[in-house]
Amino acid sequence: MSFEEFIKAKQEKAGKKPPFDKESRIKEFKGYVEWFYDQLENLWLAGYFDSLQPRFEDITIREELLGDYQVRALTLTVGDDEIHFKPFGTMLIGSCGRIDVACGDHKARFIMVGEKARTPQALFVISINGEKPPKRDYGKLVWKLVDERGMMSFVDLTPDVIQRLIMKLAE
């Protein structure tokens, strides 16, 4: 293949890709964040959410490919402590979204990954000699807690996991 043929083939391949739709990506991420908050209120903290005095506020996120956009952050109050849930962004390696949570010096992260994903290493594949690696199916996207003790892993979210996290953050 000549250089001219190579360039032409690459341009034709690029022309077949749909253009990147940043507005759709932002809307999708905002939907993921709202779904997370809904799960907090109606599943993980059911019966406790309102007593934690939830406060929402709009914050601005800046991402290189998306620019500036508004998304809601959440603060929960536990006694004298405030637990801040702050969306971080969606243009991330190995994840479709991230929400950071902090209370004082205590911090944790939630990420949006496939429901079958257990570790970050599982999300990356290596191609040897240009061979296409087999496609992996990690299932539908869900929020998971990032456990950074030892080898990083992803923890499925349940009421017990969320409630224990809040107790740890606000100790």
Side-chain angles (χ1 to χ4, degrees), residues 91-142:
M91 301 299 294
L92 307 166
I93 296 173
S95 168
C96 295
R98 184 172 119 193
I99 296 175
D100 293 340
V101 59
C103 180
D105 292 336
H106 301 283
K107 297 178 179 12
R109 288 185 290 163
F110 296 97
I111 61 168
M112 174 69 74
V113 293
E115 64 186 339
K116 297 176 190 173
R118 298 286 172 239
T119 66
Q121 295 83 358
L123 300 175
F124 298 95
V125 295
I126 297 172
S127 175
I128 300 173
N129 296 328
E131 292 180 19
K132 212 169 198 178
K135 183 101 170 128
R136 296 183 185 170
D137 178 16
Y138 291 106
K140 68 179 183 174
L141 292 173
V142 296

Coordinates of all heavy atoms in Angstrom, one line a residue, residues 91-142:
M91 N -15.2 12.2 31.0 CA -14.1 11.8 30.0 C -12.9 11.2 30.7 O -11.9 11.9 30.9 CB -13.7 13.1 29.2 CG -14.9 13.7 28.4 SD -15.7 12.6 27.2 CE -14.4 12.4 26.1
L92 N -13.0 10.0 31.2 CA -12.0 9.3 32.0 C -11.6 8.0 31.3 O -12.3 7.4 30.6 CB -12.6 9.0 33.4 CG -13.3 10.2 34.1 CD1 -14.1 9.7 35.3 CD2 -12.2 11.2 34.5
I93 N -10.4 7.6 31.6 CA -9.9 6.3 31.1 C -10.4 5.2 32.0 O -10.3 5.2 33.2 CB -8.3 6.3 31.2 CG1 -7.7 7.4 30.2 CG2 -7.8 4.9 30.8 CD1 -6.3 7.6 30.3
G94 N -11.1 4.3 31.4 CA -11.6 3.1 32.1 C -12.9 3.3 32.8 O -13.4 2.4 33.5
S95 N -13.6 4.4 32.6 CA -14.8 4.7 33.4 C -15.6 5.7 32.6 O -15.1 6.5 31.8 CB -14.5 5.3 34.7 OG -15.6 5.8 35.4
C96 N -16.9 5.7 32.8 CA -17.8 6.6 32.1 C -18.2 7.8 33.0 O -19.0 8.6 32.6 CB -19.1 5.9 31.6 SG -18.8 4.7 30.3
G97 N -17.7 7.8 34.2 CA -18.0 8.9 35.1 C -17.4 8.6 36.5 O -17.1 7.5 36.8
R98 N -17.3 9.7 37.2 CA -16.7 9.6 38.6 C -17.4 10.6 39.5 O -17.7 11.8 39.0 CB -15.2 9.9 38.5 CG -14.6 9.7 39.9 CD -13.1 9.8 39.7 NE -12.6 10.9 40.5 CZ -11.3 11.4 40.4 NH1 -10.5 10.9 39.5 NH2 -11.0 12.4 41.1
I99 N -17.7 10.2 40.7 CA -18.2 11.1 41.7 C -17.2 11.0 42.9 O -17.0 9.9 43.4 CB -19.6 10.8 42.2 CG1 -20.6 11.0 41.0 CG2 -20.0 11.6 43.4 CD1 -22.0 10.5 41.3
D100 N -16.7 12.1 43.4 CA -15.8 12.1 44.6 C -16.7 12.4 45.8 O -17.6 13.2 45.7 CB -14.7 13.1 44.4 CG -13.7 12.8 43.3 OD1 -13.6 11.6 42.9 OD2 -13.0 13.7 42.9
V101 N -16.4 11.8 46.9 CA -17.1 12.0 48.1 C -16.0 12.3 49.2 O -15.0 11.7 49.3 CB -18.0 10.9 48.5 CG1 -17.3 9.6 48.7 CG2 -18.8 11.2 49.8
A102 N -16.3 13.4 50.0 CA -15.3 13.8 51.0 C -16.1 14.3 52.3 O -17.1 14.9 52.2 CB -14.4 14.8 50.5
C103 N -15.4 14.1 53.4 CA -15.9 14.6 54.7 C -14.6 14.9 55.5 O -13.9 14.0 55.9 CB -16.8 13.7 55.4 SG -17.4 14.3 57.0
G104 N -14.2 16.2 55.6 CA -13.0 16.5 56.2 C -11.8 15.9 55.4 O -11.7 16.1 54.2
D105 N -10.9 15.2 56.1 CA -9.8 14.6 55.4 C -10.1 13.2 54.8 O -9.3 12.6 54.2 CB -8.6 14.4 56.4 CG -8.0 15.7 56.9 OD1 -8.2 16.7 56.1 OD2 -7.5 15.8 58.0
H106 N -11.3 12.7 55.1 CA -11.7 11.4 54.6 C -12.3 11.5 53.2 O -13.1 12.4 52.9 CB -12.7 10.7 55.5 CG -12.2 10.5 56.9 ND1 -11.3 9.6 57.3 CD2 -12.5 11.3 58.0 CE1 -11.1 9.6 58.6 NE2 -11.7 10.7 59.1
K107 N -11.8 10.6 52.3 CA -12.3 10.7 50.9 C -12.6 9.3 50.3 O -12.0 8.3 50.8 CB -11.2 11.3 50.0 CG -10.9 12.8 50.4 CD -9.8 13.3 49.6 CE -9.4 14.7 49.8 NZ -9.5 15.6 50.5
A108 N -13.4 9.3 49.3 CA -13.7 8.0 48.6 C -14.1 8.4 47.2 O -14.3 9.6 46.9 CB -14.8 7.3 49.3
R109 N -14.2 7.4 46.3 CA -14.6 7.7 44.9 C -15.6 6.6 44.4 O -15.5 5.5 44.8 CB -13.4 7.6 43.9 CG -12.4 8.7 44.0 CD -11.4 8.6 43.0 NE -10.5 7.5 43.3 CZ -9.7 6.9 42.4 NH1 -9.6 7.3 41.2 NH2 -8.9 5.9 42.8
F110 N -16.5 7.1 43.6 CA -17.4 6.2 42.9 C -17.2 6.3 41.5 O -16.9 7.5 41.0 CB -18.9 6.6 43.2 CG -19.3 6.5 44.6 CD1 -19.3 7.6 45.5 CD2 -19.7 5.2 45.2 CE1 -19.7 7.5 46.8 CE2 -20.1 5.1 46.5 CZ -20.1 6.2 47.3
I111 N -17.2 5.2 40.7 CA -17.0 5.3 39.3 C -18.1 4.5 38.6 O -18.7 3.6 39.2 CB -15.6 4.8 38.8 CG1 -15.4 3.4 39.2 CG2 -14.5 5.7 39.3 CD1 -14.2 2.8 38.5
M112 N -18.4 4.9 37.4 CA -19.4 4.2 36.5 C -18.7 3.3 35.6 O -17.9 3.7 34.7 CB -20.2 5.3 35.7 CG -21.1 4.8 34.7 SD -22.6 4.0 35.4 CE -23.5 5.3 36.0
V113 N -18.8 2.0 35.9 CA -18.2 0.9 35.1 C -19.2 -0.2 34.8 O -20.3 -0.2 35.4 CB -16.9 0.3 35.7 CG1 -15.8 1.4 35.8 CG2 -17.3 -0.3 37.1
G114 N -18.8 -1.2 34.0 CA -19.7 -2.3 33.8 C -19.9 -3.1 35.0 O -19.0 -3.3 35.9
E115 N -21.1 -3.7 35.2 CA -21.5 -4.4 36.4 C -20.6 -5.6 36.7 O -20.4 -5.9 37.9 CB -22.9 -4.8 36.4 CG -23.3 -5.8 35.3 CD -24.7 -6.1 35.2 OE1 -25.5 -5.9 36.2 OE2 -25.2 -6.6 34.2
K116 N -20.0 -6.2 35.7 CA -19.1 -7.3 36.0 C -17.6 -6.9 36.2 O -16.8 -7.8 36.6 CB -19.2 -8.3 34.8 CG -20.5 -8.8 34.5 CD -20.5 -9.7 33.3 CE -21.9 -10.1 32.9 NZ -21.9 -10.7 31.5
A117 N -17.3 -5.7 36.1 CA -15.9 -5.2 36.3 C -15.6 -5.3 37.8 O -16.3 -4.8 38.6 CB -15.7 -3.8 35.8
R118 N -14.4 -5.9 38.1 CA -14.0 -6.1 39.5 C -12.7 -5.3 39.9 O -12.5 -4.9 41.0 CB -13.8 -7.5 39.9 CG -15.0 -8.4 39.7 CD -16.0 -8.1 40.9 NE -17.3 -8.8 40.7 CZ -18.4 -8.1 40.6 NH1 -18.5 -6.8 40.7 NH2 -19.5 -8.8 40.4
T119 N -11.9 -5.1 38.8 CA -10.6 -4.4 39.0 C -10.3 -3.5 37.8 O -10.8 -3.8 36.7 CB -9.4 -5.3 39.2 OG1 -9.2 -6.0 38.0 CG2 -9.7 -6.3 40.4
P120 N -9.5 -2.4 38.0 CA -9.2 -1.6 36.9 C -8.4 -2.4 35.8 O -8.5 -2.2 34.6 CB -8.3 -0.5 37.5 CG -8.5 -0.5 38.9 CD -9.0 -1.9 39.3
Q121 N -7.6 -3.3 36.2 CA -6.8 -4.1 35.3 C -7.6 -4.9 34.3 O -7.2 -5.0 33.1 CB -5.9 -5.1 36.0 CG -4.8 -4.4 36.9 CD -5.3 -4.0 38.3 OE1 -6.5 -4.2 38.6 NE2 -4.5 -3.5 39.1
A122 N -8.8 -5.3 34.7 CA -9.7 -6.0 33.8 C -10.2 -5.2 32.7 O -10.7 -5.7 31.7 CB -10.8 -6.6 34.6
L123 N -10.2 -3.9 32.8 CA -10.8 -3.0 31.8 C -9.8 -2.7 30.6 O -10.3 -2.2 29.6 CB -11.2 -1.6 32.5 CG -12.2 -1.7 33.6 CD1 -12.4 -0.4 34.2 CD2 -13.5 -2.3 33.1
F124 N -8.6 -3.1 30.8 CA -7.6 -2.8 29.7 C -7.2 -4.1 29.1 O -7.0 -5.2 29.7 CB -6.4 -2.1 30.3 CG -6.7 -0.8 30.9 CD1 -7.0 -0.6 32.2 CD2 -6.9 0.3 30.1 CE1 -7.4 0.6 32.8 CE2 -7.3 1.6 30.6 CZ -7.5 1.7 32.0
V125 N -7.0 -4.1 27.8 CA -6.5 -5.2 27.0 C -5.2 -4.9 26.3 O -5.0 -3.7 26.0 CB -7.6 -5.7 26.0 CG1 -8.8 -6.3 26.8 CG2 -8.0 -4.7 25.0
I126 N -4.4 -5.9 26.0 CA -3.2 -5.7 25.3 C -3.3 -6.4 24.0 O -3.7 -7.6 23.9 CB -2.0 -6.2 26.1 CG1 -1.9 -5.4 27.4 CG2 -0.7 -6.2 25.3 CD1 -0.9 -6.0 28.4
S127 N -2.9 -5.8 22.9 CA -2.8 -6.4 21.6 C -1.4 -6.8 21.3 O -0.5 -6.0 21.4 CB -3.3 -5.4 20.6 OG -3.2 -5.9 19.3
I128 N -1.2 -8.0 20.9 CA 0.1 -8.6 20.6 C 0.2 -8.7 19.1 O -0.7 -9.4 18.4 CB 0.4 -9.9 21.3 CG1 0.3 -9.6 22.8 CG2 1.7 -10.5 20.9 CD1 0.3 -10.9 23.6
N129 N 1.2 -8.2 18.5 CA 1.5 -8.2 17.0 C 0.3 -7.8 16.2 O -0.1 -8.4 15.2 CB 1.8 -9.7 16.6 CG 3.2 -10.1 17.2 OD1 4.0 -9.3 17.4 ND2 3.3 -11.4 17.5
G130 N -0.4 -6.8 16.7 CA -1.6 -6.2 16.0 C -2.8 -7.1 16.0 O -3.8 -6.7 15.3
E131 N -2.8 -8.2 16.7 CA -4.0 -9.0 16.8 C -5.1 -8.3 17.6 O -4.8 -7.7 18.6 CB -3.7 -10.4 17.4 CG -2.8 -11.3 16.6 CD -2.5 -12.6 17.3 OE1 -3.3 -12.9 18.2 OE2 -1.5 -13.2 16.9
K132 N -6.3 -8.5 17.1 CA -7.4 -7.8 17.8 C -7.8 -8.7 19.1 O -8.1 -9.9 18.9 CB -8.6 -7.7 16.9 CG -9.4 -6.5 17.2 CD -10.4 -6.3 16.1 CE -10.9 -4.8 16.2 NZ -11.8 -4.5 15.2
P133 N -7.7 -8.1 20.3 CA -8.1 -8.9 21.4 C -9.6 -9.2 21.4 O -10.4 -8.5 20.8 CB -7.7 -8.0 22.6 CG -7.6 -6.6 22.1 CD -7.3 -6.8 20.6
P134 N -10.0 -10.3 22.1 CA -11.4 -10.6 22.2 C -12.2 -9.5 22.9 O -11.7 -8.9 23.8 CB -11.5 -11.9 22.9 CG -10.2 -12.0 23.7 CD -9.2 -11.2 22.9
K135 N -13.4 -9.2 22.4 CA -14.2 -8.2 23.0 C -14.8 -8.7 24.3 O -15.2 -9.9 24.4 CB -15.4 -7.9 22.1 CG -16.3 -6.8 22.5 CD -16.0 -5.6 21.9 CE -17.1 -4.6 22.2 NZ -16.7 -3.3 22.7
R136 N -14.7 -7.9 25.4 CA -15.2 -8.3 26.7 C -16.5 -7.6 27.0 O -16.7 -6.5 26.6 CB -14.2 -7.9 27.8 CG -12.9 -8.7 27.6 CD -12.0 -8.3 28.8 NE -10.7 -8.9 28.6 CZ -9.6 -8.6 29.4 NH1 -9.8 -7.7 30.3 NH2 -8.5 -9.1 29.2
D137 N -17.4 -8.4 27.6 CA -18.7 -7.8 27.9 C -18.8 -7.7 29.5 O -18.7 -8.7 30.2 CB -19.8 -8.7 27.5 CG -21.2 -8.2 27.9 OD1 -21.3 -7.0 28.2 OD2 -22.1 -9.0 27.8
Y138 N -18.8 -6.4 29.9 CA -18.8 -6.2 31.4 C -20.3 -5.9 31.8 O -20.5 -5.5 33.0 CB -17.9 -5.0 31.8 CG -16.5 -5.4 31.6 CD1 -15.7 -5.0 30.5 CD2 -15.9 -6.3 32.5 CE1 -14.4 -5.3 30.4 CE2 -14.5 -6.7 32.3 CZ -13.8 -6.2 31.3 OH -12.5 -6.6 31.1
G139 N -21.2 -6.0 31.0 CA -22.6 -5.8 31.4 C -23.0 -4.3 31.4 O -22.2 -3.5 30.9
K140 N -24.2 -4.1 31.9 CA -24.7 -2.7 31.9 C -23.8 -1.8 32.9 O -23.2 -2.3 33.8 CB -26.1 -2.7 32.3 CG -26.4 -3.0 33.7 CD -27.8 -3.0 34.1 CE -28.0 -3.3 35.6 NZ -29.3 -3.1 36.1
L141 N -23.9 -0.5 32.6 CA -23.1 0.4 33.5 C -23.8 0.6 34.8 O -25.0 0.7 34.9 CB -23.0 1.7 32.7 CG -22.1 1.8 31.5 CD1 -22.2 3.1 30.8 CD2 -20.7 1.4 31.9
V142 N -23.0 0.6 35.9 CA -23.5 0.8 37.2 C -22.4 1.6 38.0 O -21.2 1.7 37.6 CB -23.7 -0.5 38.0 CG1 -24.8 -1.3 37.3 CG2 -22.4 -1.3 38.1

